[in-house]
Amino acid sequence: MLEFMPLVLFVAVCAVLMLGFPVALSLAGTALAFAGLGLGLESLGIDAHFNPGYLSAYPNRLYGIMTNTTLLAVPLFVLMGVLLEKSRVAETLLDAMALLFGTRSGGLGIAVTLVGMLMAASTGIVGATVVTMGLMSLPTMLKRGYSPSLATGTICATGTLGQIIPPSIALVLLGDVLSSAYQQAQLSMGVFSPKTVSVGDLFMGALVPGLLLVGLYMLYVAVTAWRRPDAAPPVPREALTEELGHRGGLATLLLKGLVPPIALIVVVLGSILAGIATPTEASAVGAFGALVLALVYRRLSLVTLREVLRATTRVTSMVFLILIGAALFSLVFRAYGGEEMVTGLFERMPGGVVGATLIVMLVIFLLGFILDFIEITFVVVPIVGPILLAMGLDPVWLGIMIAINLQTSFLTPPFGFALFYLRGVAPASVTTASIYRGVVPFIAIQLVMLLLLAQFPALATWLPAQFG
């Protein structure tokens, strides 16, 4: 029984997280309890297969987390996203897109998808995008005859694009974890001058799959509108103009709503792709640009600035506390021989690297039903990442596969966070069952995207190779 303690530790952490305890405290508390158990058994002369020497590395781990310049991008990107949310750039943009596409069957759904894509590339925060799009577009879509399931599914799915379209906080965190895993994998293979994989590589690798995912979303909305015209009817331009309450011309709306976020995206991503700035430096430029936009739109007061800084501090503190807890969990897991157990399991698995990758993706997908993407990133990826990379997988490809898989964790009932965000702002007439039904086709699209990436890895690896 004691030789299976790593498995027991993993199951115990998942169980504690499902009970609703804070993530950071769950990881650290459960790990400390199992470390104490291991030390206690060893002191009694019982072989618990526990090596306490791993715990001595914890201070160095903490120092590494707090001095990691890559993770500095997290508070800056959060600050950028919250500022853009408060400046309400998306409202003008959505109105313009609705007027541009809404007169066609399925046009409002396509407009929501495009705006969601630009919001994702501007903010990278799923909750902000889903809530904003839900408040702005859902009432109009429902009033104009859209099927509740199609409307809510489209909003939830496009809101999660912030997970995969850079600059994404999820990619920043995943990039940092994969960077450590890649170096660990190379050292285990005897490569003492290891190559590196950066957050910028993941940003470039995510661009093509992210845009392809947007295209698949719009294709689904268009096909649904074609097959079921009553589910996504066209809206007369006069009625839509009256609904949105805009008297200005379409060109003016597009200029006000489209140019600022695109300019910010070009500056942030363009500087990374051109090699002018690192993701951390680009995040600082993005935060400054968002501050300028908020001032230009006259939406920045002292009260708003206080709210923005509090929200940024809250999210950043949560992320770093989880990192600290995850570091302790990882050390205790390895102290019980968990790394060797997982390696042996993968080596005995039929199908070699293909079978191992398939099992990992399936486990991540199933865990997405009950755990958040941050929990999966910091608990699962450090365990399986070094082993899969040592088996020869491309780190950028693996990172994008995991990122898209984690994106589904926001959509999968019953605990998908995007579902909760939308439920909180949706009118009472929209049932929870309608929201659940609406996201099912988009979950299927996510799985199709994973299959495409598995069949054509160049979708994720070509662009980083060009700029590498």
Side-chain angles (χ1 to χ4, degrees):
M1 174 63 183
L2 292 177
E3 60 268 22
F4 295 107
M5 286 297 280
L7 180 61
V8 177
L9 171 60
F10 182 79
V11 172
V13 164
C14 292
V16 172
L17 289 172
M18 288 178 63
L19 291 174
F21 289 100
V23 179
L25 300 181
S26 298
L27 291 172
T30 307
L32 279 175
F34 273 77
L37 177 62
L39 290 171
L41 291 174
E42 293 287 347
S43 67
L44 294 175
I46 301 173
D47 185 9
H49 306 281
F50 182 76
N51 183 358
Y54 279 95
L55 298 179
S56 62
Y58 192 52
N60 287 333
R61 287 286 188 94
L62 293 184
Y63 182 78
I65 291 171
M66 302 313 297
T67 58
N68 191 330
T69 56
T70 300
L71 293 176
L72 188 60
V74 173
L76 291 171
F77 276 136
V78 172
L79 178 63
M80 171 182 160
V82 178
L83 277 170
L84 286 173
E85 179 192 358
K86 298 297 182 184
S87 64
R88 296 190 292 183
V89 174
E91 292 185 23
T92 308
L93 177 59
L94 181 61
D95 291 351
M97 288 294 185
L99 287 171
L100 189 63
F101 294 102
T103 55
R104 299 171 178 84
S105 183
L108 282 179
I110 292 174
V112 167
T113 304
L114 289 172
V115 174
M117 175 191 71
L118 292 173
M119 283 280 290
S122 301
T123 66
I125 303 175
V126 171
T129 305
V130 173
V131 170
T132 302
M133 299 300 289
L135 289 171
M136 292 190 305
S137 61
L138 185 57
T140 300
M141 295 176 80
L142 295 176
K143 186 175 181 179
R144 295 303 167 186
Y146 268 66
S147 162
S149 59
L150 177 63
T152 55
T154 303
I155 292 171
C156 285
T158 55
T160 64
L161 288 171
Q163 287 288 102
I164 187 65
I165 293 182
S168 162
I169 295 171
L171 290 178
V172 173
L173 300 177
L174 189 59
D176 183 68
V177 172
L178 275 178
S179 178
S180 300
Y182 192 37
Q183 293 184 37
Q184 186 179 332
Q186 292 176 90
L187 290 173
S188 69
M189 294 186 292
V191 179
F192 297 105
S193 180
K195 299 178 181 178
T196 60
V197 57
S198 67
V199 173
D201 294 330
L202 284 189
F203 277 9
M204 287 184 279
L207 273 178
V208 174
L211 294 175
L212 186 55
L213 202 55
V214 172
L216 290 174
Y217 285 176
M218 291 193 295
L219 180 62
Y220 167 72
V221 173
V223 170
T224 302
W226 173 63
R227 292 187 59 196
R228 297 165 48 209
D230 59 315
V235 184
R237 185 176 298 276
E238 296 77 14
L240 196 55
T241 303
E242 181 183 350
E243 177 77 19
L244 297 175
H246 277 287
R247 297 180 180 177
L250 178 59
T252 304
L253 279 176
L254 283 173
L255 186 64
K256 290 175 59 179
L258 193 59
V259 172
I262 287 185
L264 193 60
I265 293 166
V266 169
V267 169
V268 173
L269 292 185
S271 61
I272 296 173
L273 293 176
I276 299 173
T278 65
T280 302
E281 293 165 343
S283 67
V285 174
F288 178 75
L291 182 62
V292 171
L293 285 181
L295 289 170
V296 170
Y297 278 80
R298 298 181 181 179
R299 302 268 168 75
L300 190 64
S301 63
L302 286 177
V303 174
T304 303
L305 185 60
R306 191 180 300 115
E307 293 175 358
V308 168
L309 293 177
R310 281 179 176 172
T312 303
T313 304
R314 188 162 52 247
V315 173
T316 304
S317 301
M318 176 195 71
V319 169
F320 276 82
L321 275 175
I322 293 173
L323 272 168
I324 292 169
L328 181 58
F329 170 84
S330 175
L331 287 173
V332 174
F333 185 85
R334 294 177 66 187
Y336 272 111
E339 193 174 7
E340 292 78 8
M341 173 185 285
V342 175
T343 302
L345 177 65
F346 280 5
E347 288 175 349
R348 294 191 299 271
M349 192 172 293
V353 64
V354 176
T357 305
L358 183 62
I359 292 297
V360 168
M361 291 298 149
L362 180 61
V363 168
I364 290 176
F365 177 75
L366 294 176
L367 285 176
F369 283 77
I370 56 176
L371 300 180
D372 183 36
F373 82 96
I374 296 180
E375 300 156 16
I376 297 174
T377 299
F378 291 143
V379 174
V380 180
V381 178
I383 295 173
V384 301
I387 301 167
L388 289 177
L389 294 173
M391 297 173 81
L393 292 182
D394 184 282
V396 174
W397 177 83
L398 179 61
I400 303 307
M401 287 285 287
I402 292 174
I404 293 179
N405 204 343
L406 288 174
Q407 188 183 346
T408 63
S409 70
F410 277 87
L411 293 175
T412 46
F415 300 114
F417 277 72
L419 311 181
F420 290 153
Y421 293 142
L422 188 61
R423 177 68 277 173
V425 298
S429 59
V430 177
T431 64
T432 302
S434 294
I435 299 176
Y436 284 4
R437 282 196 305 270
V439 298
V440 170
F442 291 96
I443 294 173
I445 291 173
Q446 299 281 133
L447 298 179
V448 169
M449 189 67 238
L450 285 173
L451 291 175
L452 286 174
L453 268 177
Q455 187 66 31
F456 306 104
L459 290 172
T461 59
W462 179 80
L463 195 58
Q466 302 307 306
F467 290 89

